[in-house]
Amino acid sequence: MSSFLTYAYLPFKSLYPTHSRRTLTLTSAISSPEKRARRKKKTKQPSEDTFVTVTAVSAGEKALRLTFMEELMERARSADTAGVSEVLYDMVAAGLSPGPRSFHGLIVSHVLKGDHEGAMHSLRRELSAGLCPLHETFVALIRLFGSKGYSTKGLEILAAMEKLNFDIRKAWLVLVEELVRHNHLADANMVFLKGAKGGLRATNDLYDLLIEEDCKVGDHSNALTIAYEMEAAGRMATTYHFNCLLSVQATCGIPEIAFATFENMEYGEDYMKPDTETYNWVIQAYTRAESYDR
């Protein structure tokens, strides 16, 4: 009994501090304020009625523009420059701004009419509107300048195309062909050689055309130069090209030149072997020479 009472009054020491202030201080140091989640603002989705309205407006605008373009191109094909200009004004009045194809129609109408000044004025008008002309527009202008023999203006258009990063090979070919077709052979040779030196490659038909036309007028020098350019581009001269050169050599009064060409053909590859026409030109070269017995 006595031992029990003695045990009951033994002093008890707690393992944890009982001081209230220290406990509160510890609790406030550990706890952190709760973060409030931010609410995302709801973006207004376009209503179905708005989408339908925009679609209807764009479809109506496309249909209206198509109607104007059909009328514009019809008048352009008829070389009706006044009619094309009238359609352009109607487009602006309807709230549509003319684009590159609209100006293409205007320029084509001047080209078909043969009015190079009107065509250039329309081109400047398009550029001042901040538009980039179509590749076809430049080709149409090149065709017009070539037909009139304006090789310098044609080269200026080619330079402008190059600045706009257009491929100028097709336009260059058109310019040379038009110059040849309209009897501006000297300009055609100049434009051709300038392009060839710049790395442009002609078609086989154009090589043949230039060599033949140069030989017809007796321009042996340019014909030979173009033949060299052709071989440098990877196409070798054939019997046809050598016969063209012989046609000029036969009339120059120095048969040795024609005979040297003949020997070159005779000991060359199969694609340049002499034919009946070759022998005829060599015979004529000796026949026409004044210092040889006929």
Side-chain angles (χ1 to χ4, degrees):
M1 186 71 180
S2 60
S3 63
F4 176 75
L5 291 173
T6 306
Y7 179 79
Y9 284 100
L10 286 173
F12 178 76
K13 195 172 184 179
S14 174
L15 296 174
Y16 301 97
T18 57
H19 201 286
S20 60
R21 289 183 181 178
R22 184 173 295 178
T23 304
L24 290 173
T25 305
L26 182 64
T27 304
S28 64
I30 294 175
S31 62
S32 59
E34 295 182 358
K35 293 182 179 180
R36 294 182 180 179
R38 294 181 180 179
R39 293 182 180 179
K40 293 183 178 180
K41 292 183 179 180
K42 293 183 180 180
T43 56
K44 284 188 176 182
Q45 297 292 335
S47 64
E48 187 176 348
D49 294 339
T50 306
F51 179 75
V52 171
T53 304
V54 171
T55 306
V57 169
S58 82
E61 183 178 333
K62 285 182 179 178
L64 183 60
R65 186 176 289 275
L66 180 62
T67 303
F68 277 119
M69 285 304 299
E70 286 177 350
E71 184 180 357
L72 187 147
M73 293 312 296
E74 183 179 351
R75 298 193 180 189
R77 284 190 288 267
S78 303
D80 184 6
T81 55
V84 174
S85 298
E86 185 179 343
V87 174
L88 288 176
Y89 288 130
D90 290 343
M91 287 180 68
V92 174
L96 301 175
S97 55
R101 295 202 173 276
S102 303
F103 281 101
H104 174 70
L106 179 61
I107 292 171
V108 166
S109 66
H110 285 288
V111 170
L112 294 176
K113 204 172 181 179
D115 180 12
H116 68 278
E117 292 182 356
M120 286 302 297
H121 175 73
S122 300
L123 179 66
R124 285 189 289 268
R125 178 180 167 188
E126 180 179 4
L127 293 171
S128 64
L131 299 173
C132 178
L134 301 175
H135 184 272
E136 307 93 277
T137 304
F138 284 117
V139 173
L141 286 168
I142 287 284
R143 195 177 296 279
L144 174 62
F145 291 139
S147 65
K148 289 183 172 291
Y150 299 155
S151 57
T152 304
K153 289 185 177 294
L155 290 172
E156 289 174 358
I157 295 295
L158 289 177
M161 291 178 69
E162 206 165 16
K163 285 183 179 178
L164 293 172
N165 296 322
F166 282 120
D167 184 6
I168 66 170
R169 180 175 179 265
K170 180 182 177 182
W172 171 69
L173 293 173
V174 169
L175 180 58
V176 176
E177 289 172 358
E178 289 295 325
L179 288 169
V180 174
R181 187 174 292 113
H182 292 86
N183 301 318
H184 303 288
L185 193 55
D187 290 326
N189 286 323
M190 181 268 293
V191 172
F192 173 84
L193 292 174
K194 184 168 285 191
K197 297 295 182 184
L200 297 176
R201 190 183 188 283
T203 61
N204 293 344
D205 291 338
L206 186 58
Y207 284 124
D208 296 346
L209 176 65
L210 283 170
I211 292 173
E212 182 180 356
E213 292 299 323
D214 281 331
C215 289
K216 281 181 180 178
V217 298
D219 190 353
H220 185 270
S221 176
N222 273 319
L224 192 60
T225 303
I226 291 169
Y228 286 144
E229 291 292 339
M230 180 180 69
E231 291 189 341
R235 187 192 181 209
M236 304 308 293
T238 63
T239 303
Y240 166 77
H241 303 106
F242 280 105
N243 284 340
C244 287
L245 294 172
L246 279 170
S247 67
V248 183
Q249 295 167 4
T251 60
C252 70
I254 308 174
E256 288 84 2
I257 298 176
F259 188 72
T261 302
F262 171 77
E263 283 187 324
N264 191 18
M265 297 171 68
E266 190 175 16
Y267 297 109
E269 301 293 335
D270 291 339
Y271 53 79
M272 55 191 293
K273 291 293 185 183
D275 59 5
T276 305
E277 185 180 354
T278 307
Y279 287 101
N280 288 335
W281 285 122
V282 174
I283 292 171
Q284 286 191 44
Y286 281 97
T287 301
R288 295 176 180 181
E290 296 179 357
S291 59
Y292 285 85
D293 294 333
R294 292 187 174 89

